Amino acid sequence: MDETPLPEVTEQFARTLAPGSDAVIEEMDAKADREGFPTVGPAVGGWLRLVARMVDADRIFEFGSGFGYSAYWMAPAVSDDGQIVLTEIDADELEEAREFLDRGGFADRAAFEHGDAIETVEGYDGPFDVVLIDNEKHRYAEAFEAVRRKVPVGGAVVADNMIEAGPLEFEEVQALLDGDDIDANETSRGIATYLERVGDNPAFETGLLPLGEGVAVSVRVE
């Protein structure tokens, strides 16, 4: 999609209200702009931190961390003796994440896991108060199934790229959710499958945060 369907004024206002950035976040933003690296951006980053604060998060798990942008935004909301688990298949990006969080003073509450996130989470017992799903879009539903029982009542599962994500076609996602039998691409089908899976699970209630590229926030209620 060439243009975001989300209101630009909403994004701008959310950026204004978001917690202030620091020198490390500014460097990460510059890196993302320079390299064309997809991050959630400061508007969603501020919301991720707020979600972590609202659930009083002690432990956070990320499916796909890149160079640590989302983790850095959430890290201040984690207690000094808490933990945020970063996962990344790219070893160089994971090392960059380690360096950024170290410079921000957050590396002591972070675990850096190199490898497949869905395989990694199987080695953790939980609970995880916040889970961020931002790995391969066609594996979102698989990630949810791997972690949902490790989210306590009151905890949140956050999934990025509900409306935009490279080859994702929003119209295809909507058609699939409406039950239409269409020839959708893998990314669109993956997002639709995720939304169906989390929406059909009675233990979670889900809403859409219309910022960035669209964020689904699911709270465990039972």
mmCIF file of all heavy atoms in Angstrom, residues 169-188:
data_model
loop_
_atom_site.group_PDB
_atom_site.id
_atom_site.type_symbol
_atom_site.label_atom_id
_atom_site.label_comp_id
_atom_site.label_asym_id
_atom_site.label_seq_id
_atom_site.Cartn_x
_atom_site.Cartn_y
_atom_site.Cartn_z
ATOM 1 N N GLU A 169 -1.905 -6.807 2.028
ATOM 2 C CA GLU A 169 -2.974 -6.061 1.379
ATOM 3 C C GLU A 169 -4.159 -6.005 2.337
ATOM 4 O O GLU A 169 -4.774 -7.020 2.643
ATOM 5 C CB GLU A 169 -3.387 -6.735 0.063
ATOM 6 C CG GLU A 169 -2.311 -6.730 -1.008
ATOM 7 C CD GLU A 169 -2.067 -5.338 -1.575
ATOM 8 O OE1 GLU A 169 -2.928 -4.453 -1.363
ATOM 9 O OE2 GLU A 169 -1.023 -5.136 -2.220
ATOM 10 N N PHE A 170 -4.465 -4.810 2.839
ATOM 11 C CA PHE A 170 -5.521 -4.659 3.828
ATOM 12 C C PHE A 170 -6.861 -5.180 3.308
ATOM 13 O O PHE A 170 -7.625 -5.814 4.045
ATOM 14 C CB PHE A 170 -5.649 -3.185 4.235
ATOM 15 C CG PHE A 170 -6.757 -2.928 5.219
ATOM 16 C CD1 PHE A 170 -6.643 -3.336 6.537
ATOM 17 C CD2 PHE A 170 -7.921 -2.292 4.815
ATOM 18 C CE1 PHE A 170 -7.676 -3.110 7.440
ATOM 19 C CE2 PHE A 170 -8.950 -2.052 5.713
ATOM 20 C CZ PHE A 170 -8.830 -2.464 7.024
ATOM 21 N N GLU A 171 -7.123 -4.923 2.023
ATOM 22 C CA GLU A 171 -8.395 -5.379 1.452
ATOM 23 C C GLU A 171 -8.482 -6.907 1.475
ATOM 24 O O GLU A 171 -9.562 -7.468 1.666
ATOM 25 C CB GLU A 171 -8.546 -4.859 0.018
ATOM 26 C CG GLU A 171 -8.703 -3.343 -0.093
ATOM 27 C CD GLU A 171 -7.385 -2.601 0.028
ATOM 28 O OE1 GLU A 171 -6.321 -3.282 0.085
ATOM 29 O OE2 GLU A 171 -7.391 -1.368 0.071
ATOM 30 N N GLU A 172 -7.343 -7.578 1.279
ATOM 31 C CA GLU A 172 -7.337 -9.032 1.341
ATOM 32 C C GLU A 172 -7.619 -9.522 2.754
ATOM 33 O O GLU A 172 -8.376 -10.479 2.964
ATOM 34 C CB GLU A 172 -5.983 -9.578 0.869
ATOM 35 C CG GLU A 172 -5.723 -9.406 -0.613
ATOM 36 C CD GLU A 172 -4.406 -10.040 -1.048
ATOM 37 O OE1 GLU A 172 -3.625 -10.470 -0.173
ATOM 38 O OE2 GLU A 172 -4.168 -10.099 -2.261
ATOM 39 N N VAL A 173 -7.004 -8.862 3.740
ATOM 40 C CA VAL A 173 -7.237 -9.248 5.135
ATOM 41 C C VAL A 173 -8.710 -9.101 5.481
ATOM 42 O O VAL A 173 -9.326 -10.005 6.067
ATOM 43 C CB VAL A 173 -6.373 -8.382 6.087
ATOM 44 C CG1 VAL A 173 -6.715 -8.699 7.543
ATOM 45 C CG2 VAL A 173 -4.893 -8.627 5.838
ATOM 46 N N GLN A 174 -9.299 -7.965 5.103
ATOM 47 C CA GLN A 174 -10.711 -7.733 5.408
ATOM 48 C C GLN A 174 -11.598 -8.764 4.722
ATOM 49 O O GLN A 174 -12.544 -9.285 5.321
ATOM 50 C CB GLN A 174 -11.111 -6.324 4.973
ATOM 51 C CG GLN A 174 -12.531 -5.938 5.384
ATOM 52 C CD GLN A 174 -12.701 -5.913 6.890
ATOM 53 O OE1 GLN A 174 -12.080 -5.104 7.573
ATOM 54 N NE2 GLN A 174 -13.527 -6.802 7.424
ATOM 55 N N ALA A 175 -11.282 -9.084 3.473
ATOM 56 C CA ALA A 175 -12.087 -10.068 2.739
ATOM 57 C C ALA A 175 -12.003 -11.440 3.398
ATOM 58 O O ALA A 175 -13.015 -12.147 3.532
ATOM 59 C CB ALA A 175 -11.622 -10.143 1.282
ATOM 60 N N LEU A 176 -10.804 -11.825 3.817
ATOM 61 C CA LEU A 176 -10.637 -13.117 4.484
ATOM 62 C C LEU A 176 -11.406 -13.151 5.805
ATOM 63 O O LEU A 176 -12.035 -14.166 6.144
ATOM 64 C CB LEU A 176 -9.155 -13.387 4.735
ATOM 65 C CG LEU A 176 -8.307 -13.685 3.488
ATOM 66 C CD1 LEU A 176 -6.830 -13.639 3.815
ATOM 67 C CD2 LEU A 176 -8.682 -15.047 2.898
ATOM 68 N N LEU A 177 -11.368 -12.058 6.550
ATOM 69 C CA LEU A 177 -12.109 -12.005 7.810
ATOM 70 C C LEU A 177 -13.615 -12.032 7.581
ATOM 71 O O LEU A 177 -14.372 -12.501 8.436
ATOM 72 C CB LEU A 177 -11.715 -10.742 8.595
ATOM 73 C CG LEU A 177 -10.279 -10.708 9.126
ATOM 74 C CD1 LEU A 177 -9.980 -9.357 9.767
ATOM 75 C CD2 LEU A 177 -10.038 -11.833 10.131
ATOM 76 N N ASP A 178 -14.031 -11.544 6.415
ATOM 77 C CA ASP A 178 -15.457 -11.581 6.066
ATOM 78 C C ASP A 178 -15.885 -12.952 5.544
ATOM 79 O O ASP A 178 -17.059 -13.160 5.223
ATOM 80 C CB ASP A 178 -15.768 -10.520 5.004
ATOM 81 C CG ASP A 178 -15.709 -9.103 5.570
ATOM 82 O OD1 ASP A 178 -15.785 -8.950 6.800
ATOM 83 O OD2 ASP A 178 -15.560 -8.155 4.769
ATOM 84 N N GLY A 179 -14.916 -13.874 5.425
ATOM 85 C CA GLY A 179 -15.231 -15.219 4.982
ATOM 86 C C GLY A 179 -15.171 -15.428 3.486
ATOM 87 O O GLY A 179 -15.599 -16.478 2.981
ATOM 88 N N ASP A 180 -14.638 -14.457 2.747
ATOM 89 C CA ASP A 180 -14.549 -14.600 1.299
ATOM 90 C C ASP A 180 -13.416 -15.561 0.924
ATOM 91 O O ASP A 180 -12.350 -15.542 1.544
ATOM 92 C CB ASP A 180 -14.299 -13.240 0.640
ATOM 93 C CG ASP A 180 -15.450 -12.271 0.858
ATOM 94 O OD1 ASP A 180 -16.556 -12.748 1.173
ATOM 95 O OD2 ASP A 180 -15.229 -11.051 0.724
ATOM 96 N N ASP A 181 -13.632 -16.360 -0.084
ATOM 97 C CA ASP A 181 -12.626 -17.301 -0.581
ATOM 98 C C ASP A 181 -11.824 -16.622 -1.678
ATOM 99 O O ASP A 181 -12.219 -16.613 -2.843
ATOM 100 C CB ASP A 181 -13.299 -18.572 -1.098
ATOM 101 C CG ASP A 181 -12.288 -19.622 -1.530
ATOM 102 O OD1 ASP A 181 -11.105 -19.495 -1.146
ATOM 103 O OD2 ASP A 181 -12.684 -20.567 -2.238
ATOM 104 N N ILE A 182 -10.703 -16.006 -1.296
ATOM 105 C CA ILE A 182 -9.904 -15.260 -2.258
ATOM 106 C C ILE A 182 -8.482 -15.821 -2.292
ATOM 107 O O ILE A 182 -8.053 -16.523 -1.379
ATOM 108 C CB ILE A 182 -9.862 -13.758 -1.923
ATOM 109 C CG1 ILE A 182 -9.162 -13.536 -0.570
ATOM 110 C CG2 ILE A 182 -11.257 -13.164 -1.907
ATOM 111 C CD1 ILE A 182 -8.868 -12.087 -0.266
ATOM 112 N N ASP A 183 -7.769 -15.478 -3.330
ATOM 113 C CA ASP A 183 -6.384 -15.905 -3.493
ATOM 114 C C ASP A 183 -5.470 -14.836 -2.890
ATOM 115 O O ASP A 183 -4.910 -14.004 -3.599
ATOM 116 C CB ASP A 183 -6.061 -16.117 -4.976
ATOM 117 C CG ASP A 183 -4.645 -16.656 -5.177
ATOM 118 O OD1 ASP A 183 -4.080 -17.212 -4.209
ATOM 119 O OD2 ASP A 183 -4.106 -16.493 -6.290
ATOM 120 N N ALA A 184 -5.328 -14.832 -1.563
ATOM 121 C CA ALA A 184 -4.554 -13.815 -0.854
ATOM 122 C C ALA A 184 -3.092 -14.222 -0.747
ATOM 123 O O ALA A 184 -2.763 -15.413 -0.759
ATOM 124 C CB ALA A 184 -5.136 -13.596 0.541
ATOM 125 N N ASN A 185 -2.212 -13.227 -0.624
ATOM 126 C CA ASN A 185 -0.803 -13.547 -0.450
ATOM 127 C C ASN A 185 -0.537 -14.060 0.971
ATOM 128 O O ASN A 185 -1.384 -13.950 1.864
ATOM 129 C CB ASN A 185 0.092 -12.348 -0.795
ATOM 130 C CG ASN A 185 -0.047 -11.195 0.183
ATOM 131 O OD1 ASN A 185 0.088 -11.350 1.392
ATOM 132 N ND2 ASN A 185 -0.303 -10.004 -0.348
ATOM 133 N N GLU A 186 0.634 -14.608 1.184
ATOM 134 C CA GLU A 186 0.977 -15.274 2.444
ATOM 135 C C GLU A 186 0.911 -14.326 3.632
ATOM 136 O O GLU A 186 0.436 -14.701 4.718
ATOM 137 C CB GLU A 186 2.379 -15.878 2.343
ATOM 138 C CG GLU A 186 2.819 -16.673 3.557
ATOM 139 C CD GLU A 186 4.212 -17.250 3.398
ATOM 140 O OE1 GLU A 186 5.146 -16.479 3.083
ATOM 141 O OE2 GLU A 186 4.373 -18.471 3.587
ATOM 142 N N THR A 187 1.357 -13.089 3.446
ATOM 143 C CA THR A 187 1.348 -12.126 4.547
ATOM 144 C C THR A 187 -0.073 -11.751 4.936
ATOM 145 O O THR A 187 -0.430 -11.753 6.125
ATOM 146 C CB THR A 187 2.142 -10.867 4.155
ATOM 147 O OG1 THR A 187 3.502 -11.228 3.913
ATOM 148 C CG2 THR A 187 2.089 -9.831 5.271
ATOM 149 N N SER A 188 -0.900 -11.437 3.959
ATOM 150 C CA SER A 188 -2.288 -11.085 4.240
ATOM 151 C C SER A 188 -3.015 -12.241 4.925
ATOM 152 O O SER A 188 -3.749 -12.053 5.901
ATOM 153 C CB SER A 188 -3.017 -10.712 2.943
ATOM 154 O OG SER A 188 -2.419 -9.604 2.318
#
